[in-house]
Amino acid sequence: MVRKALTGNHAISYAVKLVKPEVIAAYPITPQTSIVEKLSEMVESGELDSTMIRVESEHSALAACYGAALAGARAFTATSSQGLLYMHEVVHWVSRARIPMVMAVVSRTINAPWNIWPDHSDFMDQRDAGWIMAYAMDNQEALDLTIQAFKISEDPEVYLPVMVGIEGFILGHTTMPVEIPDEELVREWLGPRRQPYVVDGSSPIGVGGLTMPEETEDIFHGIQESMESAKRVIERVDREYGRMFGRSYGGLTQCYRCEDADYLAVSMGAWSGDLMEAVNKLREEGYRVGVLRLRFYRPFPREDLLEHAGRSKGVVVFDRAVSFGAWGPIFADLVASLAERPEKLPALSNIVAGIAGVNITSEDFEKLVKRFIESVEKGEKPVYFEWFRKR
């Protein structure tokens, strides 16, 4: 085990080095670029024995990885924002072909206007694409999740691609101490690549051809079933990883001081750390509140939410993306999940904030959560939806 000071982007680069994919496709875009730059340095120096393909666009980057993965190679790429939108067509091709691979998404606000600061709009824009979607809270988790993503993606119960998200600049360019596992142990734990079929010319096989509606529906239904299976696999992989490398995060979600909580705050990403800090202060003031952090957005952890939110007096959801004309995407999924037990619906509130990179502090979280709890305790109806703006 080695400890280094790494940015979130470089933590992902080191995770990829430990996994040693046969193919990496690279196209630069802020704030992702330093991931593939570091990998390129590793390949150039001989530190990493992978084939680096320099392509002319993000669409081609994912297409190159898709082709390599079909042929049996472990493959990795990374992108952000407009680049992710540009490769969106291939995002769907990969999941429908049931081909395991891993992609890092370093979140950046979708243009226009031009903006390089992070929110979750690019990541959430992929929520119906059939990929397993994970999001890290800090740089250590970014490294660990990237390694775990290969194991999850290649599990026969899953056979779906995985994207790992972090916020650009907040984690991507911020340095933290990161423990790097032993390279040989990581590769031994991962084992040889597994995938449902290989297109290598040894036998005739067709991929992506015209099918009748019923066959197409069968393929889509299979993705839905595998998403459910992935929940078990994610929990198992997290436990195995904990035993092997000493860090386990709780699977699909992380429960922070929510075991005895009357109120729950739900979030995803790096600002969850600020929310936990706010919860610590509120606990000192006597507010029994906890944080349920989503580590995986797809599959959506509705069982975890039912377990924790279903017994709460109130749940406030912080979304860093918005479905224009509706609510934040996490809130919409959470309400749909809780509706499975309508007799136990807690008081609900959705706060959309931090859009376009606006900085949300622990003091902001403290004020918003306290306001929510006090309105419920007074018997008032809390604000159901609010776009929290700081000016």
Side-chain angles (χ1 to χ4, degrees):
M1 187 82 72
V2 176
R3 202 170 201 218
K4 283 179 177 280
L6 296 175
T7 64
N9 281 1
H10 284 178
I12 291 173
S13 304
Y14 273 87
V16 174
K17 173 181 177 288
L18 297 178
V19 172
K20 193 184 172 185
E22 284 85 0
V23 172
I24 301 165
Y27 190 78
I29 180 170
T30 302
Q32 170 282 128
T33 304
S34 58
I35 293 179
V36 291
E37 276 182 346
K38 190 66 177 176
L39 288 168
S40 181
E41 289 173 12
M42 292 172 173
V43 171
E44 181 66 21
S45 68
E47 194 178 350
L48 173 60
D49 182 15
S50 298
T51 297
M52 174 71 74
I53 304 175
R54 290 170 292 178
V55 293
E56 75 280 10
S57 72
E58 290 89 351
H59 189 283
S60 298
L62 189 55
C65 286
Y66 176 42
L70 280 172
R74 275 198 176 121
F76 172 84
T77 192
T79 191
S80 297
S81 192
Q82 309 303 117
L84 180 57
L85 302 192
Y86 190 31
M87 63 170 59
H88 187 67
E89 179 195 8
V90 192
V91 168
H92 284 266
W93 273 95
V94 176
S95 62
R96 280 144 175 79
R98 309 300 303 267
I99 286 301
M101 63 165 289
V102 174
M103 173 167 65
V105 175
V106 184
S107 286
R108 191 188 90 187
T109 301
I110 294 174
N111 303 336
W114 199 258
N115 184 306
I116 61 169
W117 290 276
D119 61 22
H120 295 165
S121 55
D122 56 356
F123 188 81
M124 288 302 191
D125 196 59
Q126 313 305 310
R127 64 182 181 271
D128 300 324
W131 284 55
I132 306 291
M133 300 173 70
Y135 217 96
M137 187 178 75
D138 57 36
N139 296 357
Q140 181 67 64
E141 190 178 27
L143 180 140
D144 294 329
L145 259 180
T146 303
I147 296 169
Q148 291 183 12
F150 282 93
K151 186 82 168 178
I152 295 164
S153 180
E154 296 174 14
D155 191 289
E157 289 191 72
V158 179
Y159 282 154
L160 286 170
V162 180
M163 62 178 69
V164 177
I166 62 171
E167 286 97 344
F169 301 113
I170 294 175
L171 294 190
H173 293 65
T174 302
T175 301
M176 301 178 192
V178 175
E179 290 185 352
I180 303 173
D182 179 79
E183 191 167 302
E184 293 305 315
L185 278 180
V186 169
R187 292 176 192 168
E188 179 185 338
W189 179 65
L190 285 176
R193 175 175 169 81
R194 296 180 290 179
Q195 62 187 78
Y197 58 91
V198 177
V199 181
D200 60 1
S202 62
S203 60
I205 184 170
V207 178
L210 180 66
T211 60
M212 297 304 288
E214 290 77 9
E215 282 73 37
T216 304
E217 186 181 43
D218 285 347
I219 291 170
F220 292 179
H221 186 257
I223 293 173
Q224 180 76 357
E225 289 187 321
S226 293
M227 280 282 178
E228 287 301 310
S229 302
K231 293 176 181 177
R232 295 190 299 274
V233 174
I234 289 165
E235 302 276 355
R236 187 179 72 233
V237 166
D238 188 56
R239 287 194 300 272
E240 288 178 6
Y241 194 86
R243 287 195 294 271
M244 182 68 80
F245 304 108
R247 283 181 299 281
S248 179
Y249 295 87
L252 291 150
T253 60
Q254 180 191 10
C255 171
Y256 180 76
R257 305 191 73 169
C258 56
E259 294 87 352
D260 64 341
D262 294 328
Y263 293 91
L264 203 62
V266 176
S267 66
M268 183 180 79
W271 71 352
S272 303
D274 299 300
L275 181 56
M276 291 173 185
E277 188 177 330
V279 161
N280 288 338
K281 290 181 180 175
L282 289 168
R283 283 273 179 166
E284 291 173 2
E285 298 176 31
Y287 295 94
R288 290 163 64 90
V289 58
V291 174
L292 191 68
R293 177 174 71 88
L294 272 59
R295 299 184 64 241
F296 285 81
Y297 180 64
R298 287 289 183 268
F300 193 72
R302 68 175 186 277
E303 291 84 0
D304 289 11
L305 289 160
L306 277 169
E307 178 187 349
H308 295 289
R311 67 179 185 231
S312 301
K313 294 166 69 174
V315 180
V316 55
V317 179
F318 292 95
D319 268 294
R320 202 159 193 170
V322 64
S323 179
F324 292 113
W327 304 274
I330 295 174
F331 181 73
D333 284 338
L334 177 138
V335 172
S337 301
L338 294 182
E340 285 187 52
R341 298 179 192 168
E343 73 281 2
K344 294 184 178 178
L345 272 183
L348 296 166
S349 179
N350 183 204
I351 307 293
V352 167
I355 301 298
V358 172
N359 186 39
I360 303 298
T361 65
S362 63
E363 289 77 15
D364 294 324
F365 282 123
E366 186 179 350
K367 179 178 67 177
L368 292 166
V369 174
K370 182 187 289 188
R371 184 191 67 182
F372 171 72
I373 294 174
E374 290 183 344
S375 66
V376 177
E377 290 294 322
K378 289 176 184 173
E380 301 171 351
K381 184 175 174 57
V383 175
Y384 190 66
F385 173 80
E386 177 184 3
W387 188 320
F388 177 68
R389 301 170 68 200
K390 297 191 73 172
R391 66 170 185 172

